[in-house]
Amino acid sequence: MIDETSSNGVRRPVAYLNETFLESPDARGLRILSEYLEPLSHFRDEKIQDTIVFFGSARIEEEGPLSEYYRDARTLARLITEWSSKIEPLFHRFVICSGGGPGIMEAANRGAADAGGKTIGLNIGLPFEQRPNPFITPELSFEFHYFFMRKFWFAYLAKALVIFPGGFGTLDELFEILTLAQTRKLESKIVIVLYGSKFWKEVLNFEALIKYNTISPEDVKLFQYADDPESALAILQDQLTKRFLEPEPLPEPVPETPQIAKSRV
């Protein structure tokens, strides 16, 4: 008979309860997998089918420089949530999702909460700026360690992105999604709205990229500009309806498993 205790008579914990092991380099694969499976479980429980993701600076506050973008993000998120709440399927469609922190992220979650809708925050531990804002639906507030798993969930559920003025993080997310759309690595066409044409046309010179033949003229058709909540809403309603609601709506998922976005591979 094999003795299941250690030499001092203390029983070792099973592997999945062994915190020393779970926090070790050998268990990195398990930690990565958990950042896929745990959010997936919550999205199923909360009947989330797809999202509209808001990106933008964590430094833009309700009062202060560029504060009009905070107010516009809040208004737009509210308008989208009011519209999406009228869609018939059993699952929540076009749910507002943000990075979960302050600034534009807070404004997006706050606007959705104003309309009484569910709203998602995909947070990540950072040395500064990043903390969960209080407007996220508690069951849909996530904390990630791995940037790439957080990015996965931004892209995997998204049917549309609204990109407000921002810095390195916002630019990173924008160009990653543009690259996925350009290379057709996303199964369905994602709607991309750059909010604040004056800001974006000063910060990003897409015409220069075309001039130097580093992108094609057709690539700038991957996104549209908007300068007020009403025009952004009109773009989203038009494109989302055409692409995902008619003439052939997405198949109704079985109650246990919402149909989430898929990649082409």
Side-chain angles (χ1 to χ4, degrees), residues 113-125:
D114 289 341
K118 292 181 181 293
T119 183
I120 301 165
L122 306 181
N123 218 290
I124 192 162

Side-chain angles (χ1 to χ4, degrees), residues 203-217:
V203 170
L204 299 176
N205 191 343
F206 289 104
E207 295 303 318
L209 296 178
I210 295 172
K211 174 183 175 181
Y212 290 108
N213 199 33
T214 55
I215 66 171
S216 301

Side-chain angles (χ1 to χ4, degrees), residues 76 228-240:
L76 178 57
D228 59 77
E230 291 73 21
S231 62
L233 178 67
I235 292 169
L236 292 166
Q237 286 178 320
D238 176 64
Q239 295 299 313
L240 292 171

Side-chain angles (χ1 to χ4, degrees), residues 43-76:
F43 290 135
R44 285 173 171 165
D45 289 344
E46 295 299 312
K47 301 187 185 310
I48 305 299
Q49 184 161 323
D50 42 31
T51 61
I52 294 178
V53 179
F54 279 54
F55 290 124
S57 176
R59 304 183 185 192
I60 296 176
E61 299 179 350
E62 190 172 9
E63 301 295 336
L66 303 180
S67 60
E68 67 272 17
Y69 291 115
Y70 181 105
R71 294 189 291 272
D72 285 358
R74 180 180 177 183
T75 299
L76 178 57

